[in-house]
């Protein structure tokens, strides 16, 4: 029996040819022709004012934390139901991640909980677009405006999604994207920071280039470059950018295929959802998704663990997802929870993700659905 992994990265077209071209062009370090090409494509896909390729979404989030001028004791509001990088970026500046609950329908940050968590020390909100569905940015933007906070999108999963017609990446002050091999468009490791505020662009370039004004130097705007600010090495080399450019070329095809898989799953689980046995993701009002993830919510942790074991025995990878940050050892040390985060604890115990990748075939999706049905329609107490 063929195994079906949760994820398998695919090569779609010109990736290897591009890498060869990059080698032939003779520049392997960053910010060459392929990096510029990727930056332009990401601007086109997101509508952001600027995009800067990074070596990961983690790096882009660390840049965002620097751009927010976070200092020790400052607070940043974020969901507990997220990847560790959202919180690390803040803690690395000595600031405090303040974890709030998620909305049980969307699994995104609860905007009322975010508003309640604001204190005089709050500097920013880091919103996460879970499963590629944009967080309620309009309500978060109001809170940010009322209190003078920066609004950052952790858009790692959300390239190609929109909220009220505006793409992820253009919904806050800045956004961090990931091209890790588990995301929709991949370069192994990779990421980007997009910026909506013109006044942040030059500083972002400096932070990304080890705190130097090298980008201005390369444009001929200064005759030597020098250390002018804090920074680090956040840029990828050209080989990564060359690979990524080929994937960005296929963004439309990748989006269409993932949405088709998503729809096939939705049709397959419709009846089980109707009977209350599972819950599937549904795009919130005003949102179009990007087919990043198809999850189902089971009854409880025993049902979830039994389901995972049942699927594994059939050769199908269906991992659970985030372990809440607010009760993790580093979350307790560096952050704090604003109130009990019951939805986060509940959802994280019941959620599993089904295989989702470019090369996943319809017949495989059907086998996954059939195998899942066998567990989900068996008498309780097994
Ligand atoms: C994948 C992911 C990240 C980290 O991305 P990297 O590119 O691996 O650093 C951060 N936040 C969220 C929400 C993610 O899904």
């Amino acid at each position: 029996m063929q195994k079906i992994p949760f994820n398998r990265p695919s090569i779609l077209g010109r990736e290897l040819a591009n890498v060869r071209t990059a080698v032939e062009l003779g520049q392997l370090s960053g910010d060459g022709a392929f990096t510029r090409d990727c930056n332009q494509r990401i601007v086109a896909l997101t509508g952001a004012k600027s995009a800067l390729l990074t070596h990961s979404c983690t790096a882009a989030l660390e840049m965002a934390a620097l751009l927010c001028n976070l200092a020790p004791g400052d607070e940043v509001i974020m969901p507990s139901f997220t990847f560790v990088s959202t919180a690390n970026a803040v803690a690395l500046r000595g600031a405090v991640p303040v974890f709030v609950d998620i909305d049980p329908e969307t699994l995104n940050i609860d905007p009322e909980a975010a508003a309640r968590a604001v204190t005089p020390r709050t500097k920013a909100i880091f919103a996460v677009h879970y499963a590629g569905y944009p967080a309620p940015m309009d309500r978060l933007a109001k809170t940010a405006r009322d209190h003078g906070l920066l609004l950052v999108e952790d858009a790692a999963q959300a390239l190609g999604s929109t909220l009220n017609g505006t793409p992820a990446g253009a919904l806050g002050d800045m956004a961090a994207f990931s091209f890790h091999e588990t995301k929709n468009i991949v370069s192994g490791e990779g990421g980007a920071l997009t910026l909506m505020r013109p006044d942040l662009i030059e500083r972002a370039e400096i932070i990304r280039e080890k705190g130097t004004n090298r980008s201005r130097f390369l444009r001929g705007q200064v005759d030597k470059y020098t250390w002018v600010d804090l920074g680090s090495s956040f840029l990828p080399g050209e080989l990564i950018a060359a690979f990524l450019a080929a994937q960005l070329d296929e963004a439309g095809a990748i989006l269409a295929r993932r949405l088709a898989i998503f729809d096939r799953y939705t049709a397959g689980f419709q009846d089980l959802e109707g009977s209350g046995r599972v819950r599937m993701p549904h795009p919130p009002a005003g949102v179009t998704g990007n087919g990043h993830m198809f999850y189902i919510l089971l009854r409880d942790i025993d049902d979830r663990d039994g389901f995972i074991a049942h699927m594994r025995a059939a050769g199908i990878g269906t991992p659970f997802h985030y372990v809440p940050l607010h009760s993790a050892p580093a979350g307790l040390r560096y952050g704090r929870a604003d109130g009990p985060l019951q939805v986060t604890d509940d959802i994280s115990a019941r959620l599993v993700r089904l295989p989702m990748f470019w090369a996943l075939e319809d017949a495989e999706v059907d086998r996954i659905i059939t195998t899942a049905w066998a567990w989900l329609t068996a008498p309780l107490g097994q």
Side-chain angles (χ1 to χ4, degrees), residues 54-61 81-86 127-131 154-158 176-183 188-192 292-293 321-322 353:
T54 58
H55 55 71
S56 62
C57 179
T58 301
L61 288 164
F81 193 64
T82 182
F83 190 58
V84 292
S85 296
T86 326
V128 178
H129 303 325
Y130 188 70
D154 181 340
Q157 305 173 12
F177 287 94
S178 176
F179 304 113
H180 184 263
E181 74 166 31
T182 51
K183 304 303 200 283
E189 306 282 348
H292 173 63
M293 184 195 299
H321 208 189
Y322 302 132
R353 297 172 289 161

Side-chain angles (χ1 to χ4, degrees), residues 181-194:
E181 74 166 31
T182 51
K183 304 303 200 283
N184 290 21
I185 288 174
V186 307
S187 55
E189 306 282 348
L193 181 73
T194 60

Side-chain angles (χ1 to χ4, degrees), residues 98-139:
V98 174
F99 300 114
V100 301
D101 219 349
I102 49 171
D103 178 299
E105 294 302 316
T106 66
L107 314 194
N108 277 327
I109 188 167
D110 173 347
E112 312 309 328
R116 281 195 303 273
V118 173
T119 75
R121 310 189 106 171
T122 308
K123 286 285 154 60
I125 301 172
F126 281 25
V128 178
H129 303 325
Y130 188 70
Y133 290 138
M137 298 301 286
D138 25 15
R139 285 147 83 195

Side-chain angles (χ1 to χ4, degrees), residues 128-358:
V128 178
H129 303 325
Y130 188 70
Y133 290 138
M137 298 301 286
D138 25 15
R139 285 147 83 195
L140 295 171
K142 182 177 182 319
T143 303
R145 261 196 318 275
D146 289 350
H147 300 278
L149 314 176
L150 282 148
L151 184 53
V152 176
E153 302 171 65
D154 181 340
Q157 305 173 12
L159 190 67
S161 298
T162 66
L163 172 62
N164 298 326
T166 303
L171 293 166
D173 294 307
M174 50 194 129
F177 287 94
S178 176
F179 304 113
H180 184 263
E181 74 166 31
T182 51
K183 304 303 200 283
N184 290 21
I185 288 174
V186 307
S187 55
E189 306 282 348
L193 181 73
T194 60
L195 297 150
M196 287 304 283
R197 280 182 33 186
D199 59 311
L200 293 179
I201 293 173
E202 190 172 318
R203 175 129 192 262
E205 291 176 347
I206 289 169
I207 286 170
R208 178 168 164 276
E209 275 282 14
K210 301 105 183 161
T212 72
N213 53 359
R214 184 166 179 274
S215 300
R216 299 198 69 196
F217 172 72
L218 293 176
R219 288 195 294 263
Q221 293 165 324
V222 286
D223 54 12
K224 60 177 168 34
Y225 74 88
T226 180
W227 187 24
V228 294
D229 201 341
L230 284 180
S232 188
S233 182
F234 289 120
L235 70 167
E238 277 289 284
L239 300 182
I240 292 279
F243 190 102
L244 182 64
Q247 291 256 319
L248 288 166
D249 251 344
E250 301 293 340
I254 292 170
L255 181 69
R257 178 62 195 144
R258 292 185 83 107
L259 289 172
I261 295 169
F262 188 98
D263 289 347
R264 203 172 182 89
Y265 276 133
T266 302
F269 286 100
Q270 200 109 48
D271 291 345
L272 289 170
E273 186 175 61
S275 71
R277 182 63 179 90
V278 295
R279 218 188 81 208
M280 310 184 278
H282 297 281
V287 161
T288 59
N290 64 350
H292 173 63
M293 184 195 299
F294 190 90
Y295 63 77
I296 56 175
L297 290 170
L298 293 132
R299 289 179 201 274
D300 54 30
I301 194 164
D302 293 336
D303 190 23
R304 195 272 305 272
D305 290 349
F307 179 85
I308 291 174
H310 167 82
M311 298 300 280
R312 191 188 305 117
I316 300 168
T318 59
F320 57 85
H321 208 189
Y322 302 132
V323 178
L325 296 185
H326 69 279
S327 49
L332 293 167
R333 191 171 330 138
Y334 297 111
R336 70 173 170 81
D338 192 70
L341 307 186
Q342 280 149 344
V343 181
T344 299
D345 288 331
D346 173 54
I347 294 289
S348 102
R350 297 197 290 122
L351 183 144
V352 291
R353 297 172 289 161
L354 304 188
M356 173 65 83
F357 51 90
W358 164 260

